Amino acid sequence: MKFTSLTDEALIALTGLADYAQDIVNPTLRLGVTGLSRSGKTVFITSLVHNLINGGKLPMFAPYANKRIKRAYLQPQPDDDIPRFPYEEHLSALLDGKNRKWPVSTNRISQLRLTIEFEPEGLIARNISNGKLNIDIIDYPGEWLLDLPLLDLTYDEWCQQTLSAANKFPRNKIAKPWLDYLKTLNSQANEDELIVQKASELFTNYLFNCRKDKYALSTVPPGRFIMPGDLAGSPLITFAPLEISNTPRRGSLHAMMERRYNSYVSRVVKPFFLNHFSRLDRQIVLVDALTAINAGPEAVFDLKSALTDILKCFRHGNTTFVNAILGKKINRILFAATKADHLHHTSHDRLENILKYLVEDALKRSGTSGAEFDFVALSAIRATREQIISQDNEELPAIIGIPQEGQTLGEETYNGKVEIALFPGDLPEKPETVFAENPKEAENDENGFMQFRPPLTKGNEDTIKAPSFPHIRLDKALNFLFGDSLS
Ligand SMILES: Nc1nc2c(ncn2[C@@H]2O[C@H](COP(=O)(O)OP(=O)(O)O)[C@@H](O)[C@H]2O)c(=O)[nH]1
Ligand SMILES: [Mg+2]
């Protein structure tokens, strides 16, 4: 199967033209926000919107620093077939005083329209622009992007790839219960719904376990198995790889699995790329690089291969025939390493460099997409502050925050109320070190990084006067993503 066929191209062309016509009346930028689950999409969007609406501190966001932004507000979203991003719900979780908490994770696509009124720059611009820009933010799981390679794989090829990966360290350990069950199956046996369900359940558990912080593996297709969206329980995501020896006999387990795999590819994967992905103008890819670095070299290699697949999506998306004609393509892509507040600022540049190194390495293998790239280490909502602590005649950079209830460090279990100081450790100066032995000796829980509670902000407690969430380099990200469209 190809990314697009002739009929698909016609469909993209129609949607593209409709978007184009709309854009003339109401200038609109479609901003994709993606990343694997827990990479920080929900927190990023909530903080972005709140900071813009409430006059947060954004000195690196040029149109805002130059006071050309008059106001920003939410409007009803344009697409009736995508759920709305539940901004108010997420916000109230974060602002709930003593009970404040991180918003609940979502597992599907959603959309929000933010409108910015601004003073166009220069006389001519002031005459031709109405000074209004809609930013349609589309939040979608990165797991769905990593399904793109499936468009080119037959069921048999997919089985081969998936099994070969599952038999390698460290996946072989995680996959054991599923692989053991697989050995009891005969692909030529009669089809059987219960067997298919059992295999699919064990396979899905394996994928989920790969994502745990301890392993932090990134490439775990099919994406809907982990992020089912509205498909939970559907036959479309009830299948699994098999050990295959010959062509499928009619009515066999093999034939049944193959049929479902093909439906998944044509009815789930392809429509996502045609209906949503192909309409984006700008894209931010959020990457929880710290968790991968912390889990060790296998996780970092896997992250790089996920980044390669993601870059391939952008390249495919930008080279379809109609996109070329309509001049519609993703022209800016920002890669952002999230949760930088887990580090002292002396390591922020290092984190940025590691991400850049991983993406540039991946670019060599994926080919370029013609888009402009940038890299940033950010924290959309900063949960820590910094302090230098003297210990044994040494000045050590520490971060201070309130660990979430139940977090542990050594013997200590925290109750979600006390603040602690933590030495976060340094990231390596040479980015390539992350492929070698575990380079980071930080003070962590054995299950990964210490999770901190969200900070107190205005709305939480009267004593705090900040207009919006504190952050690290959120403004730099906004400037790259749409600063140019507000001039
Ligand atoms: N300290 C800190 N934690 C963050 C930040 N962004 C996200 N997180 C944590 O990561 C979790 C997952 O973030 P979320 O935005 O829900 O991820 P999503 O699944 O990509 O939407 C949150 O519940 C927080 O615990 C950040 O900027 N700083
Ligand atoms: Mg989310």
Side-chain angles (χ1 to χ4, degrees), residues 397-434:
I399 55 172
I400 294 179
I402 303 175
Q404 305 245 56
E405 190 177 346
Q407 288 285 296
T408 56
L409 185 64
E411 304 279 274
E412 199 82 46
T413 302
Y414 297 102
N415 63 3
K417 297 196 173 105
V418 288
E419 211 175 50
I420 63 159
L422 197 76
F423 299 118
D426 281 334
L427 285 175
E429 203 179 330
K430 291 208 178 94
E432 58 275 21
T433 322
V434 292

Side-chain angles (χ1 to χ4, degrees), residues 41-42 105-106 139:
K41 300 179 291 293
T42 303
S105 271
T106 44
D139 169 1

Side-chain angles (χ1 to χ4, degrees), residues 145-162:
L145 269 187
L146 294 178
D147 271 351
L148 184 80
L150 303 190
L151 291 174
D152 291 322
L153 294 179
T154 63
Y155 175 68
D156 291 12
E157 288 164 343
W158 175 68
C159 290
Q160 221 173 34
Q161 271 198 9
T162 308

Side-chain angles (χ1 to χ4, degrees), residues 201-219:
E201 185 191 319
L202 288 167
F203 174 60
T204 309
N205 284 345
Y206 152 66
L207 297 178
F208 266 108
N209 288 330
C210 286
R211 289 286 300 138
K212 289 205 170 139
D213 282 359
K214 192 166 150 198
Y215 304 109
L217 297 169
S218 305
T219 41

Side-chain angles (χ1 to χ4, degrees), residues 11-47:
L11 201 128
I12 298 184
L14 282 178
T15 330
L17 279 173
D19 284 348
Y20 188 70
Q22 268 302 314
D23 288 359
I24 294 176
V25 192
N26 287 314
T28 300
L29 199 78
R30 286 173 194 77
L31 170 66
V33 177
T34 198
L36 295 179
S37 71
R38 311 212 42 85
S39 59
K41 300 179 291 293
T42 303
V43 172
F44 174 81
I45 297 169
T46 308
S47 179

Side-chain angles (χ1 to χ4, degrees), residues 30-244:
R30 286 173 194 77
L31 170 66
V33 177
T34 198
L36 295 179
S37 71
R38 311 212 42 85
S39 59
K41 300 179 291 293
T42 303
V43 172
F44 174 81
I45 297 169
T46 308
S47 179
L48 176 164
V49 172
H50 194 265
N51 266 290
L52 282 173
I53 293 183
N54 294 283
K57 278 194 190 161
L58 304 166
M60 303 270 281
F61 181 34
Y64 187 91
N66 300 338
K67 305 231 178 330
R68 284 192 291 101
I69 292 188
K70 292 191 234 165
R71 66 183 185 124
Y73 50 94
L74 294 175
Q75 287 214 79
Q77 65 182 80
D79 295 309
D80 294 333
D81 56 346
I82 311 179
R84 182 172 179 276
F85 178 86
Y87 169 71
E88 295 77 8
E89 204 179 294
H90 295 324
L91 197 62
S92 61
L94 283 160
L95 295 181
D96 193 9
K98 283 199 180 72
N99 300 318
R100 70 194 183 282
K101 50 188 169 310
W102 296 104
V104 288
S105 271
T106 44
N107 63 4
R108 56 178 188 178
I109 189 165
S110 66
Q111 185 185 49
L112 191 67
R113 169 168 282 189
L114 175 72
T115 300
I116 299 183
E117 285 178 15
F118 64 103
E119 184 72 42
E121 218 171 12
L123 202 61
I124 300 172
R126 239 169 284 162
N127 284 327
I128 56 170
S129 162
N130 69 354
K132 225 188 229 188
L133 178 72
N134 296 320
I135 299 178
D136 288 348
I137 303 171
I138 326 275
D139 169 1
Y140 66 93
E143 284 82 356
W144 297 5
L145 269 187
L146 294 178
D147 271 351
L148 184 80
L150 303 190
L151 291 174
D152 291 322
L153 294 179
T154 63
Y155 175 68
D156 291 12
E157 288 164 343
W158 175 68
C159 290
Q160 221 173 34
Q161 271 198 9
T162 308
L163 283 169
S164 132
N167 278 299
K168 287 195 193 103
F169 178 82
R171 291 183 183 242
N172 54 356
K173 278 195 301 185
I174 317 170
K176 189 155 190 310
W178 167 54
L179 293 176
D180 285 348
Y181 181 69
L182 203 57
K183 288 195 192 101
T184 69
L185 300 184
N186 172 0
S187 64
Q188 297 298 324
N190 287 343
E191 62 179 19
D192 182 330
E193 182 66 47
L194 293 182
I195 291 180
V196 172
Q197 279 181 17
K198 174 94 181 162
S200 168
E201 185 191 319
L202 288 167
F203 174 60
T204 309
N205 284 345
Y206 152 66
L207 297 178
F208 266 108
N209 288 330
C210 286
R211 289 286 300 138
K212 289 205 170 139
D213 282 359
K214 192 166 150 198
Y215 304 109
L217 297 169
S218 305
T219 41
V220 286
R224 291 302 197 288
F225 280 52
I226 291 203
M227 288 285 131
D230 304 324
L231 292 181
S234 155
L236 280 172
I237 57 167
T238 310
F239 63 91
L242 287 172
E243 301 263 14
I244 286 166

